[in-house]
Amino acid sequence: MRVYLFIAAIAGGATWLVMPMVRHLAIRVGAVGVVRARDVHKVPTPRMGGLGMLIGFAVAMCFASRIPFITGLFQSGHQAWVILAGAVAICLLGIADDLWDLDWMLKLAGQLLISVFVSWGGIQIISLPLGSLVAASPSLSMAITAFLIVASINAVNFVDGLDGLAAGIVAIGGIAFAIYSYIIARISPDYASLATLIDVAMVGICVGFLLHNWHPAKLFMGDSGSMLLGYLITCASIVVTGRLDPATIHASIYLPAFMPILLPILVLFLPVLDMCLAIVRRLSHGQSPMHPDRMHLHHRMLRIGHTVRSAVLILWGWAALIAFGSLFILFFPLRYVLIGLALAAILLTFATLYPYYRRRLPEIRRENALLAAQGSQHAARPHRHRKSRHDKDEDN
């Protein structure tokens, strides 16, 4: 564990150190995001922070390749280098988009091409839980792998709308998955885990970047950063699945063995949910799935009265609840996990809706006061006495 913490520190330190140079470079080459109608920031801010994150990740991987405990991961196969090559390619594609705002179809084609290359290089899901442990065909493995990578890339890209939001959510998911992959690796003779290595390095670059991206941000990660993070967290999960041999898996560990297929979706639940809602919303209006708007989850948080920082912290809380809740289910009694999740969900729901009800409270009081005043006026109004039949007989 100390080795992994050291790798995370190397990744975070390298990322933090190079970010000022990346910011200066972004300004020099014109990678500065103009303020658009859908943006939250008020001043033009340099983007292309993904370049610094890539440098931090590459430095951490190079250090790891020289550490005796981990060096076997780089010598026994080429998966680590394939992942690094794919990271370089996906970051370069993002830098091109940060500079020239590529057409979404061209960007999607580039993502698919890189995903297929990585899958062809050995980063594949080799088995599927379809009623029983079934080995997937190579073509199906490549297709599923490419789909997962592209979906995660765009999910993180969609949620990258507030300072620190995307980096924090991915870091939380990375911590949860690093714990899971580390525990899975301990049942093998060799504790070294490529998935854990990728996750801790990714968490490190997220933390190093957050020191420059916390509101008010000095630098945005841009598509080069959001695409890189989505790519890395998915590659880490696929590496775990790819190491499992369906013929040796016992039914008693069926769920833990195939949790790598589900856990990336759970740790990225908020980005995936936001992406799905955005696609459905835009298609229902006859728009392109990539058409920008101000209806993302973080925009809704700001609209109900949250500040940028409070919105980010609460969304981090929801991400942690889902990511660690899905992890705890595997290792703790279900009833205790559900009780803890329910209590945390109640607190987060209160924190999420508090600004809305605080803003609505004066309006509700005015409405109640108005209704009370109308009721008192109605009660004070004299009513005409209607004579009964007995009274009329006496009058006669």
Side-chain angles (χ1 to χ4, degrees), residues 352-366:
T352 301
L353 299 178
Y354 174 72
Y356 172 77
Y357 287 108
R358 184 183 62 180
R359 186 178 59 183
R360 282 280 299 162
L361 186 59
E363 299 177 7
I364 295 174
R365 287 176 176 173
R366 285 194 298 268

Side-chain angles (χ1 to χ4, degrees), residues 14-100:
T15 303
W16 177 74
L17 287 173
V18 301
M19 279 303 172
M21 293 181 286
V22 171
R23 183 178 185 276
H24 180 70
L25 176 63
I27 296 174
R28 288 284 301 272
V29 301
V32 179
V34 297
V35 180
R36 299 160 296 188
R38 68 178 188 272
D39 290 332
V40 177
H41 63 282
K42 303 301 182 183
V43 295
T45 305
R47 47 191 180 183
M48 211 168 75
L51 176 59
M53 301 167 81
L54 174 65
I55 294 173
F57 180 76
V59 170
M61 293 292 282
C62 291
F63 264 89
S65 67
R66 310 303 299 175
I67 298 176
F69 174 70
I70 303 177
T71 188
L73 298 174
F74 296 85
Q75 297 175 353
S76 60
H78 56 275
Q79 282 188 330
W81 302 118
V82 169
I83 291 174
L84 182 57
V88 173
I90 203 71
C91 185
L92 290 177
L93 177 64
I95 290 174
D97 185 66
D98 291 337
L99 288 172
W100 302 300

Side-chain angles (χ1 to χ4, degrees), residues 12 49 64 70 90 126 152 154 176-177 188 204 221 226 271 286:
I70 303 177
I90 203 71
I126 62 172
S152 296
N154 287 284
F177 198 84
S188 63
M221 69 170 63
S226 60

Side-chain angles (χ1 to χ4, degrees), residues 376-395:
S376 61
Q377 291 176 1
H378 181 72
R381 185 181 302 168
H383 295 278
R384 181 178 296 176
H385 179 68
R386 298 183 63 184
K387 293 184 178 181
S388 65
R389 179 178 298 177
H390 177 72
D391 294 337
K392 290 181 180 180
D393 292 339
E394 288 182 353
D395 291 342

Side-chain angles (χ1 to χ4, degrees), residues 9 105 120 132 202 206 264 273 300 384:
M105 293 187 66
W120 177 76
S132 60
M202 181 187 65
C206 287
L273 174 64
R300 296 174 188 269
R384 181 178 296 176

Side-chain angles (χ1 to χ4, degrees), residues 37 57 70 82 86 106 137 160 208 216 231 241 341 365 385:
F57 180 76
I70 303 177
V82 169
L106 178 61
S137 66
D160 182 27
Y231 164 83
T241 308
L341 292 180
R365 287 176 176 173
H385 179 68

Side-chain angles (χ1 to χ4, degrees), residues 286-306:
Q287 300 172 334
S288 164
M290 300 297 178
H291 182 78
D293 57 31
R294 288 182 62 89
M295 297 295 292
H296 291 285
L297 294 177
H298 50 272
H299 290 133
R300 296 174 188 269
M301 293 285 288
L302 297 179
R303 229 180 346 258
I304 66 176
H306 284 285

Side-chain angles (χ1 to χ4, degrees), residues 146-206:
F147 172 78
L148 288 176
I149 292 175
V150 172
S152 296
I153 286 172
N154 287 284
V156 177
N157 191 14
F158 271 58
V159 82
D160 182 27
L162 295 180
D163 297 342
L165 179 59
I169 288 178
V170 173
I172 291 168
I175 292 171
F177 198 84
I179 294 172
Y180 171 76
S181 59
Y182 179 76
I183 293 173
I184 291 294
R186 292 184 65 182
I187 66 177
S188 63
D190 185 7
Y191 280 16
S193 168
L194 180 58
T196 309
L197 173 62
I198 296 170
D199 278 320
V200 297
M202 181 187 65
V203 172
I205 65 177
C206 287

